[in-house]
Amino acid sequence: DIAEPASALGKACRYDTSLSFRESELVILLTGAKMRSHTEFEIHTGEALKAGLTMDIVSAIPRDDEFSVKAVDEKLLPLLDSDREKSIVKFTAELLDDSTVSDETYETTKAALDNKESVLVEITSITGYYTYVCYTLNVFKIPPK
């Protein structure tokens, strides 16, 4: 049964990383936005607000056909104060849009994360796990609760 290991991975991605709650929610919202999962985006909007993101930040995330690295750079990045958050967002947006990141983005993000490559693994894992969640929600047309 795939549900049990998927649930364990979800728990690890959600609660057992070095990212702050706010940083994790940015990664999850970007993933929901790119993957066209309105249910995921709606569920995590509430979580993001609890994590300290503002509605202005959430609303600035480009969604569906509007999602691109350029749109994220122009609309979302100016609203973030922390270089760490900006790097995490840029890394995530590029990963989602290109299925990889450039060497420059990799090195810039790694530097912003105190050269901890393990945090890049965490961001990539959260993005991958929530892509799976979005696919599941989209395929089975699961509405928000």
Side-chain angles (χ1 to χ4, degrees):
D1 185 45
I2 199 166
E4 191 174 315
S7 178
L9 177 60
K11 181 182 177 293
C13 286
R14 185 93 165 92
Y15 303 110
D16 298 333
T17 72
S18 63
L19 296 181
S20 71
F21 185 27
R22 180 181 162 108
E23 292 165 345
S24 290
E25 288 305 320
L26 279 167
V27 173
I28 296 165
L29 285 175
L30 286 164
T31 305
K34 171 63 178 177
M35 303 311 298
R36 303 167 189 266
S37 179
H38 298 259
T39 297
E40 187 66 25
F41 198 91
E42 186 174 320
I43 290 167
H44 278 276
T45 292
E47 293 299 305
L49 295 172
K50 288 180 199 171
L53 293 171
T54 64
M55 200 59 207
D56 285 345
I57 290 172
V58 172
S59 297
I61 296 172
R63 296 173 67 182
D64 302 334
D65 289 338
E66 302 297 316
F67 191 96
S68 69
V69 172
K70 182 179 179 188
V72 169
D73 286 352
E74 291 174 357
K75 296 177 180 182
L76 179 58
L77 289 185
L79 300 178
L80 302 175
D81 295 325
S82 148
D83 286 341
R84 179 180 162 101
E85 280 185 358
K86 287 178 182 179
S87 292
I88 290 168
V89 164
K90 183 136 180 94
F91 183 96
T92 304
E94 195 170 313
L95 176 59
L96 287 164
D97 215 31
D98 299 336
S99 300
T100 191
V101 297
S102 67
D103 291 343
E104 179 184 356
T105 298
Y106 184 95
E107 293 302 329
T108 301
T109 306
K110 185 175 155 188
L113 301 170
D114 300 321
N115 288 311
K116 293 181 181 171
E117 207 161 32
S118 60
V119 184
L120 298 177
V121 172
E122 292 173 343
I123 296 166
T124 303
S125 298
I126 293 168
T127 304
Y129 173 74
Y130 279 93
T131 297
Y132 156 74
V133 170
C134 290
Y135 281 155
T136 304
L137 293 170
N138 290 348
V139 167
F140 297 103
K141 298 176 181 28
I142 299 170
K145 293 181 182 178

